[in-house]
Amino acid sequence: MVDRLYSIGEVSKLMNISIKALRHYDKIDLFKPTYIDPNTNYRYYDDSQLYLLDLIKSFKYIGIPLKEMKKVQELKADDLLVFLTEQEKFVKQKIDNLLQIEQTIASAKKGLQRIKEYPALEEVFFSDEEETQIIQTKADGINPTNILTASFQKLKRMTASTEGFRYNDYGAIFAYRPYTDIEEVSYKYLYTPVLTKKDTLELSQDTEIATIPQGKYLCIAFNSLTEQDYFTNLKRLLDYAEAHQLTVISDIFESLVNLHYSSNREKGVLLEMRMRVAE
Amino acid sequence: MVDRLYSIGEVSKLMNISIKALRHYDKIDLFKPTYIDPNTNYRYYDDSQLYLLDLIKSFKYIGIPLKEMKKVQELKADDLLVFLTEQEKFVKQKIDNLLQIEQTIASAKKGLQRIKEYPALEEVFFSDEEETQIIQTKADGINPTNILTASFQKLKRMTASTEGFRYNDYGAIFAYRPYTDIEEVSYKYLYTPVLTKKDTLELSQDTEIATIPQGKYLCIAFNSLTEQDYFTNLKRLLDYAEAHQLTVISDIFESLVNLHYSSNREKGVLLEMRMRVAE
């Protein structure tokens, strides 16, 4: 109910806004001083106008460009409510996207961590695996001798979060059987892990959600993509299970991991096969 | 284990990346074709190089600029893990900020909604209020005749989320008493509502958390800032309570709402006083 004048320095301190910003607000007619001393050119502000800076600061905080703020200033309560509801939706969407990014980064980290802790290559080992949700599609004649990177791209393109942090997520499933030649191996499914809930909500016709169960797995990993190495290592896995009289209770899950993404270095891959065994 | 070549159009379709982007990646040496036909200048890509686009797409998704990606491509697993952990922290921080923005927008909307549903001005009415957490500071000689916008700015500056969506959050508390003159009114506290949890974590020395309790309140609101209107309406509130033999069980909470933020229009305010009554 009283009023008083503040210098630009006082307003800056009171409102925690830089003098430079206040000068700029004056220049673009967003927040103008009540009085300018004609001799010194100093700006003076009214106490009762300070509340205007609250809105400017608030909208700056939620990311409204200064240009738009002049329009927002003029809004009456009803329209401001509509405007805020739009902003709220926009913020919720951004949060949603970031939560997905967070999930996908976590999954990528988990994959890298796994590589770091890998046991010796070309040797059979046991691993306790958590349950993994996957999106799978029928392999339709694809097998280890004709599979392409592109084969997986088609699958990935079908999933909603293609645009997510989806790499190193190449997988194929084939039956557990006493193979005697690589030509006998035929994939049943190609798969890619579910990264976010969104993946499962927007499935295309040819894909379905499946689960790689939690349990004890017999595994082998190797650093090669030749057909010979492929079969040698598959044979090691099968022979180990037979020699140790293990009961295999799943298909064989194969996954391909790219060890680095440098186009200047030799391609480094890790191919892993695993199958669940009775405990 | 086989390989094949794709045209730029095929890669674009397979990987869901525009031809324009692929050409740009070639130009900046981020992702280059294996082979360029010397007669037609057409670009051809190897199947086995497609996985490189996974990383580029993934990092694009989490907001890494193209310029940085070349560096990221060269990282080995260990360094990539460090890099991803940094990115994860960054994303978490962004989510945290947005959640606070969401909360403050919701609170601003609630305030506007309240104004919309306001009963007649200068008339006493009852209102069921939810509990409100506030940050308060001793008023130190401030009263209705000498209060300034700046008085509140000092309080707001003390709270952590000064930079949040904090407007229309001016409040003062004074004792319930049979006042006969405005000069007798002296504020005990100035307050501002708690918007986010962060507010309560970083309190400065002179401030404390308090609660305006949930309950039935006797209220009056008016559209003026003159001392005469102030006291007339305060008197209406007090007289109503006396006439209806209401038991007042709280201080009087006063709050000032700015009805719009246009610097071109007359200032519009709503001053509200409320006090809790026994039910």
Side-chain angles (χ1 to χ4, degrees):
Chain A
M1 310 194 182
V2 291
D3 216 333
R4 58 160 288 193
L5 287 179
Y6 302 100
S7 71
I8 196 166
E10 285 174 307
V11 173
S12 166
K13 267 194 204 159
L14 268 172
M15 303 296 295
N16 204 19
I17 296 179
S18 73
I19 292 177
K20 203 178 146 200
L22 287 168
R23 285 201 192 111
H24 184 64
Y25 294 167
D26 180 9
K27 208 173 142 197
I28 62 170
D29 292 331
L30 191 64
F31 180 74
K32 299 189 83 63
T34 305
Y35 170 74
I36 298 180
D37 187 309
N39 299 316
T40 60
N41 258 333
Y42 284 172
R43 293 167 174 86
Y44 291 96
Y45 297 85
D46 227 327
D47 180 77
S48 70
Q49 72 177 149
L50 291 188
Y51 79 100
L52 292 171
L53 285 173
D54 279 347
L55 192 81
I56 295 170
K57 284 177 75 179
S58 296
F59 279 118
K60 202 173 155 194
Y61 178 72
I62 66 171
I64 311 291
L66 287 180
K67 277 180 197 165
E68 253 186 74
M69 278 196 218
K70 254 162 90 176
K71 271 186 282 172
V72 179
Q73 272 187 338
E74 299 301 321
L75 294 179
K76 290 194 181 155
D78 269 1
D79 297 325
L80 193 55
L81 203 57
V82 172
F83 179 81
L84 285 179
T85 306
E86 276 165 24
Q87 291 302 317
E88 205 178 24
K89 242 187 247 166
F90 183 62
V91 169
K92 272 185 211 290
Q93 217 167 50
K94 276 211 268 189
I95 292 174
D96 212 51
N97 285 344
L98 284 170
L99 284 173
Q100 278 186 50
I101 290 176
E102 195 189 13
Q103 257 183 303
T104 49
I105 293 179
S107 134
K109 278 181 69 183
K110 223 166 134 185
L112 281 168
Q113 200 63 46
R114 190 183 171 88
I115 296 170
K116 263 184 81 175
E117 289 157 6
Y118 237 78
L121 297 183
E122 310 199 17
E123 275 175 35
V124 173
F125 64 96
F126 287 98
S127 171
D128 289 316
E129 299 291 334
E130 292 169 19
E131 183 180 290
T132 314
Q133 266 209 314
I134 57 170
I135 301 164
Q136 64 184 23
T137 183
K138 287 219 172 89
D140 273 341
I142 297 174
N143 60 55
T145 64
N146 71 8
I147 193 160
L148 292 165
T149 310
S151 316
F152 289 101
Q153 291 309 334
K154 283 174 201 157
L155 172 68
K156 289 191 201 173
R157 216 149 33 94
M158 288 175 200
T159 68
S161 69
T162 307
E163 304 306 324
F165 206 100
R166 182 177 289 283
Y167 74 88
N168 276 340
D169 293 326
Y170 303 80
I173 304 174
F174 57 98
Y176 167 69
R177 206 176 290 160
Y179 295 101
T180 58
D181 192 285
I182 190 170
E183 297 291 345
E184 296 166 19
V185 179
S186 175
Y187 294 137
K188 293 158 79 172
Y189 294 101
L190 301 185
Y191 74 87
T192 184
V194 170
L195 293 184
T196 66
K197 223 177 102 191
K198 213 175 144 196
D199 283 345
T200 64
L201 295 176
E202 297 168 35
L203 281 185
S204 69
Q205 256 188 324
D206 304 325
T207 61
E208 57 189 30
I209 299 291
T211 296
I212 303 181
Q214 174 268 332
K216 191 181 181 185
Y217 282 77
L218 191 69
C219 317
I220 193 161
F222 49 99
N223 250 329
S224 159
L225 283 177
T226 69
E227 293 185 12
Q228 200 190 326
D229 287 334
Y230 184 95
F231 195 69
T232 305
N233 284 288
L234 171 58
K235 204 73 184 106
R236 276 188 193 128
L237 188 71
L238 298 172
D239 290 349
Y240 186 98
E242 210 192 325
H244 294 77
Q245 294 184 298
L246 299 171
T247 311
V248 177
I249 54 174
S250 77
D251 286 329
I252 301 175
F253 301 97
E254 174 187 321
S255 61
L256 183 72
V257 173
N258 291 296
L259 295 179
H260 59 76
Y261 285 81
S262 167
S263 46
N264 301 328
R265 273 185 275 158
E266 264 302 278
K267 197 179 171 186
V269 293
L270 195 68
L271 216 151
E272 187 192 308
M273 294 166 181
R274 69 182 90 151
M275 53 195 192
R276 194 175 170 208
V277 292
E279 290 177 72
Chain B
M1 308 192 184
V2 291
D3 216 334
R4 59 159 287 190
L5 287 179
Y6 303 100
S7 71
I8 196 167
E10 286 175 307
V11 173
S12 166
K13 268 194 203 158
L14 269 171
M15 303 295 295
N16 204 19
I17 296 178
S18 73
I19 292 178
K20 203 179 147 199
L22 288 169
R23 285 201 192 112
H24 184 64
Y25 295 167
D26 180 9
K27 206 172 144 197
I28 62 171
D29 292 331
L30 190 64
F31 180 74
K32 300 187 80 63
T34 306
Y35 170 73
I36 297 180
D37 187 309
N39 299 315
T40 61
N41 258 333
Y42 285 172
R43 293 167 174 87
Y44 291 96
Y45 297 85
D46 229 326
D47 179 78
S48 70
Q49 72 177 148
L50 291 187
Y51 78 101
L52 292 171
L53 284 173
D54 280 345
L55 193 82
I56 295 170
K57 284 177 74 180
S58 297
F59 280 118
K60 202 173 154 194
Y61 178 72
I62 66 172
I64 312 291
L66 288 180
K67 275 181 198 165
E68 252 187 76
M69 279 198 217
K70 254 160 92 175
K71 271 187 281 171
V72 179
Q73 273 187 336
E74 299 301 321
L75 294 179
K76 289 191 185 159
D78 270 2
D79 297 324
L80 193 55
L81 203 58
V82 171
F83 178 81
L84 284 179
T85 306
E86 276 166 21
Q87 291 302 317
E88 205 178 21
K89 242 188 248 165
F90 182 63
V91 169
K92 272 184 211 290
Q93 218 167 50
K94 277 210 268 187
I95 292 174
D96 213 51
N97 286 345
L98 284 170
L99 284 172
Q100 278 187 51
I101 290 176
E102 196 189 10
Q103 257 182 302
T104 48
I105 292 179
S107 135
K109 278 180 67 182
K110 222 166 132 184
L112 281 169
Q113 199 64 46
R114 189 183 172 88
I115 297 171
K116 263 184 79 174
E117 290 156 6
Y118 237 77
L121 297 182
E122 309 198 18
E123 275 175 33
V124 171
F125 65 97
F126 287 99
S127 171
D128 288 315
E129 299 290 333
E130 291 170 21
E131 182 180 290
T132 313
Q133 265 210 314
I134 58 171
I135 302 165
Q136 64 183 23
T137 183
K138 287 216 172 90
D140 273 341
I142 297 175
N143 60 55
T145 63
N146 70 7
I147 192 159
L148 292 166
T149 310
S151 316
F152 289 101
Q153 291 309 334
K154 281 175 200 154
L155 171 67
K156 289 191 201 174
R157 215 149 34 94
M158 288 176 199
T159 68
S161 69
T162 306
E163 304 305 324
F165 207 102
R166 182 176 290 283
Y167 75 89
N168 275 339
D169 293 326
Y170 303 81
I173 303 173
F174 57 98
Y176 167 70
R177 207 177 290 160
Y179 295 104
T180 57
D181 192 286
I182 191 168
E183 298 290 344
E184 295 166 20
V185 179
S186 175
Y187 294 136
K188 292 159 79 173
Y189 293 101
L190 301 183
Y191 73 88
T192 185
V194 170
L195 293 184
T196 67
K197 223 177 102 190
K198 215 177 143 194
D199 284 344
T200 64
L201 296 175
E202 296 167 36
L203 281 185
S204 71
Q205 257 188 322
D206 304 325
T207 61
E208 58 189 31
I209 299 291
T211 296
I212 303 182
Q214 174 269 330
K216 191 182 181 185
Y217 283 77
L218 191 70
C219 317
I220 194 161
F222 48 101
N223 250 329
S224 159
L225 283 178
T226 69
E227 293 185 13
Q228 199 191 327
D229 287 334
Y230 184 95
F231 195 68
T232 305
N233 284 288
L234 171 58
K235 205 74 184 101
R236 276 189 193 128
L237 189 72
L238 298 171
D239 290 350
Y240 186 98
E242 212 191 326
H244 293 78
Q245 294 184 299
L246 299 171
T247 312
V248 176
I249 53 175
S250 77
D251 286 331
I252 301 176
F253 300 97
E254 172 187 321
S255 60
L256 183 73
V257 173
N258 291 297
L259 294 179
H260 59 76
Y261 284 82
S262 167
S263 46
N264 301 329
R265 272 185 275 159
E266 263 303 278
K267 198 179 169 183
V269 292
L270 194 69
L271 218 151
E272 186 191 310
M273 293 167 182
R274 70 182 89 152
M275 54 195 192
R276 194 175 169 207
V277 292
E279 290 176 71

mmCIF file with all atom_site columns, all heavy atoms in Angstrom, chain A residues 76-91:
data_model
loop_
_atom_site.group_PDB
_atom_site.id
_atom_site.type_symbol
_atom_site.label_atom_id
_atom_site.label_alt_id
_atom_site.label_comp_id
_atom_site.label_asym_id
_atom_site.label_entity_id
_atom_site.label_seq_id
_atom_site.pdbx_PDB_ins_code
_atom_site.Cartn_x
_atom_site.Cartn_y
_atom_site.Cartn_z
_atom_site.occupancy
_atom_site.B_iso_or_equiv
_atom_site.pdbx_formal_charge
_atom_site.auth_seq_id
_atom_site.auth_comp_id
_atom_site.auth_asym_id
_atom_site.auth_atom_id
_atom_site.pdbx_PDB_model_num
ATOM 1   N N   . LYS A 1 76 ? -5.316  -13.395 -20.169 1.00 0.00 ? 76 LYS A N   1
ATOM 2   C CA  . LYS A 1 76 ? -6.161  -13.337 -18.976 1.00 0.00 ? 76 LYS A CA  1
ATOM 3   C C   . LYS A 1 76 ? -6.163  -14.719 -18.329 1.00 0.00 ? 76 LYS A C   1
ATOM 4   O O   . LYS A 1 76 ? -5.747  -15.712 -18.941 1.00 0.00 ? 76 LYS A O   1
ATOM 5   C CB  . LYS A 1 76 ? -7.584  -12.933 -19.380 1.00 0.00 ? 76 LYS A CB  1
ATOM 6   C CG  . LYS A 1 76 ? -7.609  -11.475 -19.831 1.00 0.00 ? 76 LYS A CG  1
ATOM 7   C CD  . LYS A 1 76 ? -9.023  -10.955 -19.916 1.00 0.00 ? 76 LYS A CD  1
ATOM 8   C CE  . LYS A 1 76 ? -8.994  -9.508  -20.404 1.00 0.00 ? 76 LYS A CE  1
ATOM 9   N NZ  . LYS A 1 76 ? -10.248 -9.142  -21.066 1.00 0.00 ? 76 LYS A NZ  1
ATOM 10  N N   . ALA A 1 77 ? -6.652  -14.775 -17.085 1.00 0.00 ? 77 ALA A N   1
ATOM 11  C CA  . ALA A 1 77 ? -6.575  -15.999 -16.283 1.00 0.00 ? 77 ALA A CA  1
ATOM 12  C C   . ALA A 1 77 ? -6.994  -17.255 -17.069 1.00 0.00 ? 77 ALA A C   1
ATOM 13  O O   . ALA A 1 77 ? -6.286  -18.261 -17.060 1.00 0.00 ? 77 ALA A O   1
ATOM 14  C CB  . ALA A 1 77 ? -7.409  -15.853 -15.022 1.00 0.00 ? 77 ALA A CB  1
ATOM 15  N N   . ASP A 1 78 ? -8.131  -17.187 -17.772 1.00 0.00 ? 78 ASP A N   1
ATOM 16  C CA  . ASP A 1 78 ? -8.635  -18.356 -18.497 1.00 0.00 ? 78 ASP A CA  1
ATOM 17  C C   . ASP A 1 78 ? -7.650  -18.847 -19.547 1.00 0.00 ? 78 ASP A C   1
ATOM 18  O O   . ASP A 1 78 ? -7.373  -20.044 -19.656 1.00 0.00 ? 78 ASP A O   1
ATOM 19  C CB  . ASP A 1 78 ? -9.955  -18.003 -19.201 1.00 0.00 ? 78 ASP A CB  1
ATOM 20  C CG  . ASP A 1 78 ? -11.140 -18.312 -18.308 1.00 0.00 ? 78 ASP A CG  1
ATOM 21  O OD1 . ASP A 1 78 ? -10.901 -18.769 -17.163 1.00 0.00 ? 78 ASP A OD1 1
ATOM 22  O OD2 . ASP A 1 78 ? -12.278 -18.094 -18.739 1.00 0.00 ? 78 ASP A OD2 1
ATOM 23  N N   . ASP A 1 79 ? -7.119  -17.908 -20.327 1.00 0.00 ? 79 ASP A N   1
ATOM 24  C CA  . ASP A 1 79 ? -6.198  -18.279 -21.394 1.00 0.00 ? 79 ASP A CA  1
ATOM 25  C C   . ASP A 1 79 ? -4.857  -18.725 -20.832 1.00 0.00 ? 79 ASP A C   1
ATOM 26  O O   . ASP A 1 79 ? -4.182  -19.579 -21.398 1.00 0.00 ? 79 ASP A O   1
ATOM 27  C CB  . ASP A 1 79 ? -5.996  -17.091 -22.350 1.00 0.00 ? 79 ASP A CB  1
ATOM 28  C CG  . ASP A 1 79 ? -7.295  -16.719 -23.038 1.00 0.00 ? 79 ASP A CG  1
ATOM 29  O OD1 . ASP A 1 79 ? -8.081  -17.647 -23.336 1.00 0.00 ? 79 ASP A OD1 1
ATOM 30  O OD2 . ASP A 1 79 ? -7.527  -15.521 -23.257 1.00 0.00 ? 79 ASP A OD2 1
ATOM 31  N N   . LEU A 1 80 ? -4.493  -18.127 -19.699 1.00 0.00 ? 80 LEU A N   1
ATOM 32  C CA  . LEU A 1 80 ? -3.243  -18.521 -19.060 1.00 0.00 ? 80 LEU A CA  1
ATOM 33  C C   . LEU A 1 80 ? -3.352  -19.978 -18.588 1.00 0.00 ? 80 LEU A C   1
ATOM 34  O O   . LEU A 1 80 ? -2.408  -20.756 -18.687 1.00 0.00 ? 80 LEU A O   1
ATOM 35  C CB  . LEU A 1 80 ? -2.956  -17.592 -17.871 1.00 0.00 ? 80 LEU A CB  1
ATOM 36  C CG  . LEU A 1 80 ? -1.550  -17.660 -17.275 1.00 0.00 ? 80 LEU A CG  1
ATOM 37  C CD1 . LEU A 1 80 ? -0.489  -17.434 -18.332 1.00 0.00 ? 80 LEU A CD1 1
ATOM 38  C CD2 . LEU A 1 80 ? -1.381  -16.647 -16.157 1.00 0.00 ? 80 LEU A CD2 1
ATOM 39  N N   . LEU A 1 81 ? -4.537  -20.346 -18.135 1.00 0.00 ? 81 LEU A N   1
ATOM 40  C CA  . LEU A 1 81 ? -4.787  -21.713 -17.685 1.00 0.00 ? 81 LEU A CA  1
ATOM 41  C C   . LEU A 1 81 ? -4.631  -22.687 -18.852 1.00 0.00 ? 81 LEU A C   1
ATOM 42  O O   . LEU A 1 81 ? -3.990  -23.733 -18.729 1.00 0.00 ? 81 LEU A O   1
ATOM 43  C CB  . LEU A 1 81 ? -6.208  -21.796 -17.104 1.00 0.00 ? 81 LEU A CB  1
ATOM 44  C CG  . LEU A 1 81 ? -6.506  -22.913 -16.118 1.00 0.00 ? 81 LEU A CG  1
ATOM 45  C CD1 . LEU A 1 81 ? -5.578  -22.868 -14.925 1.00 0.00 ? 81 LEU A CD1 1
ATOM 46  C CD2 . LEU A 1 81 ? -7.955  -22.833 -15.649 1.00 0.00 ? 81 LEU A CD2 1
ATOM 47  N N   . VAL A 1 82 ? -5.182  -22.316 -20.006 1.00 0.00 ? 82 VAL A N   1
ATOM 48  C CA  . VAL A 1 82 ? -5.048  -23.139 -21.212 1.00 0.00 ? 82 VAL A CA  1
ATOM 49  C C   . VAL A 1 82 ? -3.572  -23.254 -21.588 1.00 0.00 ? 82 VAL A C   1
ATOM 50  O O   . VAL A 1 82 ? -3.064  -24.343 -21.858 1.00 0.00 ? 82 VAL A O   1
ATOM 51  C CB  . VAL A 1 82 ? -5.848  -22.529 -22.389 1.00 0.00 ? 82 VAL A CB  1
ATOM 52  C CG1 . VAL A 1 82 ? -5.550  -23.264 -23.696 1.00 0.00 ? 82 VAL A CG1 1
ATOM 53  C CG2 . VAL A 1 82 ? -7.339  -22.555 -22.086 1.00 0.00 ? 82 VAL A CG2 1
ATOM 54  N N   . PHE A 1 83 ? -2.899  -22.131 -21.562 1.00 0.00 ? 83 PHE A N   1
ATOM 55  C CA  . PHE A 1 83 ? -1.482  -22.100 -21.925 1.00 0.00 ? 83 PHE A CA  1
ATOM 56  C C   . PHE A 1 83 ? -0.661  -22.994 -20.990 1.00 0.00 ? 83 PHE A C   1
ATOM 57  O O   . PHE A 1 83 ? 0.182   -23.776 -21.433 1.00 0.00 ? 83 PHE A O   1
ATOM 58  C CB  . PHE A 1 83 ? -0.970  -20.651 -21.869 1.00 0.00 ? 83 PHE A CB  1
ATOM 59  C CG  . PHE A 1 83 ? 0.482   -20.514 -22.190 1.00 0.00 ? 83 PHE A CG  1
ATOM 60  C CD1 . PHE A 1 83 ? 0.915   -20.495 -23.506 1.00 0.00 ? 83 PHE A CD1 1
ATOM 61  C CD2 . PHE A 1 83 ? 1.419   -20.406 -21.174 1.00 0.00 ? 83 PHE A CD2 1
ATOM 62  C CE1 . PHE A 1 83 ? 2.258   -20.373 -23.806 1.00 0.00 ? 83 PHE A CE1 1
ATOM 63  C CE2 . PHE A 1 83 ? 2.767   -20.287 -21.465 1.00 0.00 ? 83 PHE A CE2 1
ATOM 64  C CZ  . PHE A 1 83 ? 3.190   -20.272 -22.790 1.00 0.00 ? 83 PHE A CZ  1
ATOM 65  N N   . LEU A 1 84 ? -0.935  -22.894 -19.690 1.00 0.00 ? 84 LEU A N   1
ATOM 66  C CA  . LEU A 1 84 ? -0.189  -23.702 -18.716 1.00 0.00 ? 84 LEU A CA  1
ATOM 67  C C   . LEU A 1 84 ? -0.470  -25.186 -18.905 1.00 0.00 ? 84 LEU A C   1
ATOM 68  O O   . LEU A 1 84 ? 0.414   -26.027 -18.738 1.00 0.00 ? 84 LEU A O   1
ATOM 69  C CB  . LEU A 1 84 ? -0.539  -23.278 -17.288 1.00 0.00 ? 84 LEU A CB  1
ATOM 70  C CG  . LEU A 1 84 ? 0.075   -21.969 -16.804 1.00 0.00 ? 84 LEU A CG  1
ATOM 71  C CD1 . LEU A 1 84 ? -0.388  -21.665 -15.394 1.00 0.00 ? 84 LEU A CD1 1
ATOM 72  C CD2 . LEU A 1 84 ? 1.596   -22.042 -16.836 1.00 0.00 ? 84 LEU A CD2 1
ATOM 73  N N   . THR A 1 85 ? -1.723  -25.511 -19.262 1.00 0.00 ? 85 THR A N   1
ATOM 74  C CA  . THR A 1 85 ? -2.071  -26.921 -19.485 1.00 0.00 ? 85 THR A CA  1
ATOM 75  C C   . THR A 1 85 ? -1.285  -27.482 -20.667 1.00 0.00 ? 85 THR A C   1
ATOM 76  O O   . THR A 1 85 ? -0.785  -28.605 -20.619 1.00 0.00 ? 85 THR A O   1
ATOM 77  C CB  . THR A 1 85 ? -3.584  -27.054 -19.715 1.00 0.00 ? 85 THR A CB  1
ATOM 78  O OG1 . THR A 1 85 ? -4.257  -26.440 -18.617 1.00 0.00 ? 85 THR A OG1 1
ATOM 79  C CG2 . THR A 1 85 ? -4.007  -28.516 -19.805 1.00 0.00 ? 85 THR A CG2 1
ATOM 80  N N   . GLU A 1 86 ? -1.142  -26.661 -21.715 1.00 0.00 ? 86 GLU A N   1
ATOM 81  C CA  . GLU A 1 86 ? -0.317  -27.074 -22.860 1.00 0.00 ? 86 GLU A CA  1
ATOM 82  C C   . GLU A 1 86 ? 1.133   -27.290 -22.434 1.00 0.00 ? 86 GLU A C   1
ATOM 83  O O   . GLU A 1 86 ? 1.758   -28.276 -22.798 1.00 0.00 ? 86 GLU A O   1
ATOM 84  C CB  . GLU A 1 86 ? -0.335  -25.988 -23.950 1.00 0.00 ? 86 GLU A CB  1
ATOM 85  C CG  . GLU A 1 86 ? -1.523  -26.068 -24.892 1.00 0.00 ? 86 GLU A CG  1
ATOM 86  C CD  . GLU A 1 86 ? -1.668  -24.780 -25.687 1.00 0.00 ? 86 GLU A CD  1
ATOM 87  O OE1 . GLU A 1 86 ? -0.664  -24.057 -25.846 1.00 0.00 ? 86 GLU A OE1 1
ATOM 88  O OE2 . GLU A 1 86 ? -2.798  -24.498 -26.124 1.00 0.00 ? 86 GLU A OE2 1
ATOM 89  N N   . GLN A 1 87 ? 1.643   -26.348 -21.662 1.00 0.00 ? 87 GLN A N   1
ATOM 90  C CA  . GLN A 1 87 ? 3.025   -26.446 -21.201 1.00 0.00 ? 87 GLN A CA  1
ATOM 91  C C   . GLN A 1 87 ? 3.219   -27.701 -20.353 1.00 0.00 ? 87 GLN A C   1
ATOM 92  O O   . GLN A 1 87 ? 4.240   -28.377 -20.437 1.00 0.00 ? 87 GLN A O   1
ATOM 93  C CB  . GLN A 1 87 ? 3.414   -25.213 -20.390 1.00 0.00 ? 87 GLN A CB  1
ATOM 94  C CG  . GLN A 1 87 ? 3.511   -23.946 -21.208 1.00 0.00 ? 87 GLN A CG  1
ATOM 95  C CD  . GLN A 1 87 ? 4.508   -24.067 -22.345 1.00 0.00 ? 87 GLN A CD  1
ATOM 96  O OE1 . GLN A 1 87 ? 5.597   -24.593 -22.176 1.00 0.00 ? 87 GLN A OE1 1
ATOM 97  N NE2 . GLN A 1 87 ? 4.119   -23.629 -23.523 1.00 0.00 ? 87 GLN A NE2 1
ATOM 98  N N   . GLU A 1 88 ? 2.229   -27.978 -19.543 1.00 0.00 ? 88 GLU A N   1
ATOM 99  C CA  . GLU A 1 88 ? 2.283   -29.152 -18.664 1.00 0.00 ? 88 GLU A CA  1
ATOM 100 C C   . GLU A 1 88 ? 2.390   -30.436 -19.500 1.00 0.00 ? 88 GLU A C   1
ATOM 101 O O   . GLU A 1 88 ? 3.205   -31.307 -19.219 1.00 0.00 ? 88 GLU A O   1
ATOM 102 C CB  . GLU A 1 88 ? 1.015   -29.171 -17.813 1.00 0.00 ? 88 GLU A CB  1
ATOM 103 C CG  . GLU A 1 88 ? 1.159   -29.918 -16.506 1.00 0.00 ? 88 GLU A CG  1
ATOM 104 C CD  . GLU A 1 88 ? -0.130  -29.851 -15.711 1.00 0.00 ? 88 GLU A CD  1
ATOM 105 O OE1 . GLU A 1 88 ? -1.216  -29.656 -16.316 1.00 0.00 ? 88 GLU A OE1 1
ATOM 106 O OE2 . GLU A 1 88 ? -0.066  -30.021 -14.481 1.00 0.00 ? 88 GLU A OE2 1
ATOM 107 N N   . LYS A 1 89 ? 1.561   -30.518 -20.531 1.00 0.00 ? 89 LYS A N   1
ATOM 108 C CA  . LYS A 1 89 ? 1.573   -31.674 -21.431 1.00 0.00 ? 89 LYS A CA  1
ATOM 109 C C   . LYS A 1 89 ? 2.951   -31.831 -22.058 1.00 0.00 ? 89 LYS A C   1
ATOM 110 O O   . LYS A 1 89 ? 3.505   -32.921 -22.135 1.00 0.00 ? 89 LYS A O   1
ATOM 111 C CB  . LYS A 1 89 ? 0.530   -31.460 -22.541 1.00 0.00 ? 89 LYS A CB  1
ATOM 112 C CG  . LYS A 1 89 ? -0.589  -32.504 -22.542 1.00 0.00 ? 89 LYS A CG  1
ATOM 113 C CD  . LYS A 1 89 ? -1.468  -32.314 -23.762 1.00 0.00 ? 89 LYS A CD  1
ATOM 114 C CE  . LYS A 1 89 ? -2.855  -31.870 -23.368 1.00 0.00 ? 89 LYS A CE  1
ATOM 115 N NZ  . LYS A 1 89 ? -3.651  -31.356 -24.499 1.00 0.00 ? 89 LYS A NZ  1
ATOM 116 N N   . PHE A 1 90 ? 3.483   -30.717 -22.516 1.00 0.00 ? 90 PHE A N   1
ATOM 117 C CA  . PHE A 1 90 ? 4.773   -30.673 -23.178 1.00 0.00 ? 90 PHE A CA  1
ATOM 118 C C   . PHE A 1 90 ? 5.867   -31.167 -22.223 1.00 0.00 ? 90 PHE A C   1
ATOM 119 O O   . PHE A 1 90 ? 6.724   -31.976 -22.603 1.00 0.00 ? 90 PHE A O   1
ATOM 120 C CB  . PHE A 1 90 ? 5.012   -29.215 -23.605 1.00 0.00 ? 90 PHE A CB  1
ATOM 121 C CG  . PHE A 1 90 ? 6.276   -28.989 -24.361 1.00 0.00 ? 90 PHE A CG  1
ATOM 122 C CD1 . PHE A 1 90 ? 6.501   -29.596 -25.586 1.00 0.00 ? 90 PHE A CD1 1
ATOM 123 C CD2 . PHE A 1 90 ? 7.254   -28.136 -23.852 1.00 0.00 ? 90 PHE A CD2 1
ATOM 124 C CE1 . PHE A 1 90 ? 7.670   -29.361 -26.286 1.00 0.00 ? 90 PHE A CE1 1
ATOM 125 C CE2 . PHE A 1 90 ? 8.415   -27.898 -24.551 1.00 0.00 ? 90 PHE A CE2 1
ATOM 126 C CZ  . PHE A 1 90 ? 8.633   -28.512 -25.763 1.00 0.00 ? 90 PHE A CZ  1
ATOM 127 N N   . VAL A 1 91 ? 5.816   -30.710 -20.975 1.00 0.00 ? 91 VAL A N   1
ATOM 128 C CA  . VAL A 1 91 ? 6.808   -31.118 -19.975 1.00 0.00 ? 91 VAL A CA  1
ATOM 129 C C   . VAL A 1 91 ? 6.670   -32.615 -19.675 1.00 0.00 ? 91 VAL A C   1
ATOM 130 O O   . VAL A 1 91 ? 7.661   -33.343 -19.599 1.00 0.00 ? 91 VAL A O   1
ATOM 131 C CB  . VAL A 1 91 ? 6.665   -30.285 -18.686 1.00 0.00 ? 91 VAL A CB  1
ATOM 132 C CG1 . VAL A 1 91 ? 7.493   -30.876 -17.558 1.00 0.00 ? 91 VAL A CG1 1
ATOM 133 C CG2 . VAL A 1 91 ? 7.069   -28.844 -18.939 1.00 0.00 ? 91 VAL A CG2 1
#
